[in-house]
Amino acid sequence: MSYCRIRALLFISIVVALSACGDDDDGPPAPDGGTPCVLQGVDWSHATAGVTVGTTRDVSIELRRDFSCNDVSLSFEIAGTGSIEALPADLVFEPLGTSRFPLEITGTTEGVLTVTAIATSEDGQRVEADLEVAITGTTLPQCEGEASGNVAPGGAIEAASGTLRGAAIGLTEGASRDDEFHVDAFDVAIGCASAPILPEGYRALGPAVSLASTAGKTRFPRELDLAVPIRLALLPTHAHRGHVEVAYVGPGVSAPRIVPIADPVFEGSAGDGVFRFRAPRLGTYQAVVREDAPQRRDRRFVYRGITGVSMGGSGSGRVGLGNPDRFDFVAPLGGPTDWQYMLEYIRRYHLGGFCTEEERQSGTVDCSAASQDRAPARGQFMEHVQHFENWWYEDAYDGQGGRFDRREYLEIFRDLSAMFGNANTDAGIDEDDPNVAPPGTPDAERYRLPAERCANVIRIEPEPVGGDEVAATGWFDDEYNPEGRYPVISFCDGAEMPGDTGRWNPEGDNNAPAEVAYAVDVNGNGRRDPGEPVIRNGREPYRDVGSDGAPSPLEEGYDAITNPDPAGDDYDFQYNPLGTEGNWDREEGEPFDDFGLDGVDGTAQLADGGYDSGEGDGVFTRSRGAQRMIDASPRGMLREMDDATARAQDVFADGGVRDLFNWVVMGHHSMGAFASRGIPVRFFNGHNALYLDGREDDFDFARVPWSEIGRHSMVRYGSIDATEAEKVNGDGGHVGTVLQIQHRLFASLAAMDRRWPGGDRVVVRDSLCQTIGTGCEHVNSIELDFDAPTAQRRGPVTIILPPGYFDAQYADYRYPVVYFLHGYGMEPGDLLATGLLLWNFMTDPRLPEAHRFQKAIFVFPDGRCRGAECVNGTFYTDAPESTPNGPAMETFLLDVVDYVDATYRTRAPETIEVWE
């Protein structure tokens, strides 16, 4: 059993025990007066609400009480200046009914009011809560105010007067740490911008504010704490905090542009407040809203959601976004995977750190081992760097979800090649030629025992012509074997230094075939020795300089500080997601060498008995496997989507800040793909940031304003400033701490649950049963061996039916369905405890009605390799024809969807008018 599985089951067992399973609960006590009623409190959904005259804002009021209470009446008292339309009278919270009422606040005359909600029980108990309502004019006051000074770690400069009051630049104390997020103190100036920076179709919610460094600093290795004034009362009717966006201009961005920000916090009055957020650049910022927000539209709900963890997170993002007609909601946990970025990362880091042949021949460089110095410097926020002989893994820290050692990495690379095609090479000239192992290795090799393969190295020798310096045949590589002088060999790996996961031990038992790549045997001894490079032939060489064909330093007007991107084409997931320079893709206009995948001109092609492909065909060539991966990633799929389809689904993703697979970085680029389509995106540093008010108390998913966090959002769990003790406990790791796992699961499902209209949340007495017996009249925890008709594949599937599914009162009720995809090396049965946990949150009588999940069917499909398909994980994709025995796993999953719809009472699609 994998560590990931053990940790997951342990966590779920603990939470289930603490949450007191509802299986044997008698339900809520009858409100017959036998138990004293206790009103715990009444809460507004917002501390303040703002409107202009004639506009309407949506709020809600919620009662906290135990379930021994009879009817509780709700009334309102209003005091202050100005006026609003009358609120409803005679509202009653029934014992088993709703605990939350939606309300509308519509302004009639300007002023500031206090609306007091008063809840009163039959025995005279009374609880109350106040809501401030600001009714304002429609015009922003003239911008006035300024501030300047020095910002050091733990400090801030803030404007204290004028309409700029509250505008600020701050730096967290963690910036003093001596690591990649270190920031020295710097001088700043805050002032009114010379003009608004409104993109077309937007209105201002506050002034444009210049947040600048007088020392010329513009971009930082960590996010700064920034703030600008905001008047939420200027939001259009029915708009809310989720519709607030941020416009930006600054160095390299001359035209006003909407940029995604992190950690939105709304402070102060809705009539005169402050909007705090985090971003890594200084410049001019302004809080804005679309003129047409929100839009009332007909939305078709199919009442299916898809989520998953690790490999399942990657799969849920790909399958969900690839089938937008099948799923309303996509929640990739640990993803979604951006293969455009990841393939270049693997090339530069996982397979990097070696001397080029030019360096080797210079005699001035030590090439006896791979080195981090020869891999690129860290280029992305929160990115981990590494090289081939020392893959990144933090042995001292928990929370990785597994011991991802060199052997498991090699298995993952093999499975990716089986399920997508080899991204590192093309092995044949036809689309259906086997393409897992490189050319020169028969596909049958991967079915031989590792010991046999390691004892019989495949060796591709150069054949000299006119001396031993130039080869006519053999395997070439533009960096490591440009003249074809060295043999190229298959090799085995897998040994590690004692106590140092990921660091290669050349003297160890290297008996795990590295079957997706060859090495250059520089010393000709028939094995890969330290420093001998691994070939990476996934694409033709190109210069990623943008469609203008010139890197920024050669663009007219370039200045590293004041004008770092004269052409405005530098890619940045946040500030310029449409940029073509540095986006890891070859765009039209970017120069490339049409020399084939080996990057060397004039070498023999596969069709001619050589090992190269794509040379001289006039088009930029990638390996088939790499292209399949890119096409199946969110960036790739969004390129092909029409605008309505791209906006149709809700996406809630996450990633750990210390995740060894760089899920946060990949998530940045995947979410940036939505921003490139003009779709609002938000980032949250930790789940508490979802509250939108800056609270740092224990996370409670039920108190998140889910409708306001944004329809395309991502949580970065963990802290870049975590203490050593927090890191040891797994903070921000691949799965995170036990508490972070809990938050990840509940947050994703709550976000999904709150988006679906309606839903039954009534407490039902029931038991979760796998067999019929005492206390179990029906089987509602089903494990079946599913024979997929279209995919022609058999695999296990676990189905959890909701509480009350077989009760007479629910005979005609139909349910939404959530598909939960497991991680690498796991299988559906490993998630049975997750189903038990979710069962309790659908029926626990101690939870207020508004805090329960609506009753839904949960399905855990198979994603593990079966038989000779692959090793451990299918990544939920359909293997290409070039993979013998390759499973059709996306088809398998969609067959499961069809089976569940045909077998169980799933909720039929319907079109509902919504505000979005």
Side-chain angles (χ1 to χ4, degrees), residues 351-379:
L351 303 181
F354 299 109
C355 286
T356 65
E357 178 62 6
E358 181 179 0
E359 291 171 326
R360 188 180 299 277
Q361 292 301 321
S362 73
T364 60
V365 181
D366 179 8
C367 299
S368 61
S371 170
Q372 194 64 58
D373 293 338
R374 285 190 293 274
R378 179 180 292 103

Side-chain angles (χ1 to χ4, degrees), residues 127-185:
V127 291
E128 60 184 60
D130 291 337
L131 171 70
E132 180 202 78
V133 177
I135 309 102
T136 73
T138 59
T139 303
L140 280 171
Q142 183 177 353
C143 182
E144 295 177 345
E146 61 181 11
S148 62
N150 183 268
V151 175
I157 296 297
E158 182 173 322
S161 61
T163 52
L164 271 191
R165 180 169 49 86
I169 302 172
L171 194 55
T172 58
E173 179 61 42
S176 62
R177 294 173 181 264
D178 188 17
D179 57 18
E180 67 265 30
F181 305 111
H182 175 82
V183 177
D184 291 320

Side-chain angles (χ1 to χ4, degrees), residues 7 10 51 57 96 130 135 325 335 381 386 412 469-470 519 533 545 574 582 594 623 667 732 752 757 793 852 876-877:
R7 182 178 176 83
L10 175 62
V51 290
R57 198 71 60 231
L96 300 183
D130 291 337
I135 309 102
D325 58 324
F381 183 44
Q386 53 196 307
I412 291 171
E469 296 301 318
V470 180
V545 295
Q574 189 170 5
D594 193 13
S623 70
M752 193 181 306
R793 178 189 190 271
R852 295 186 210 114
Y876 300 94
T877 190

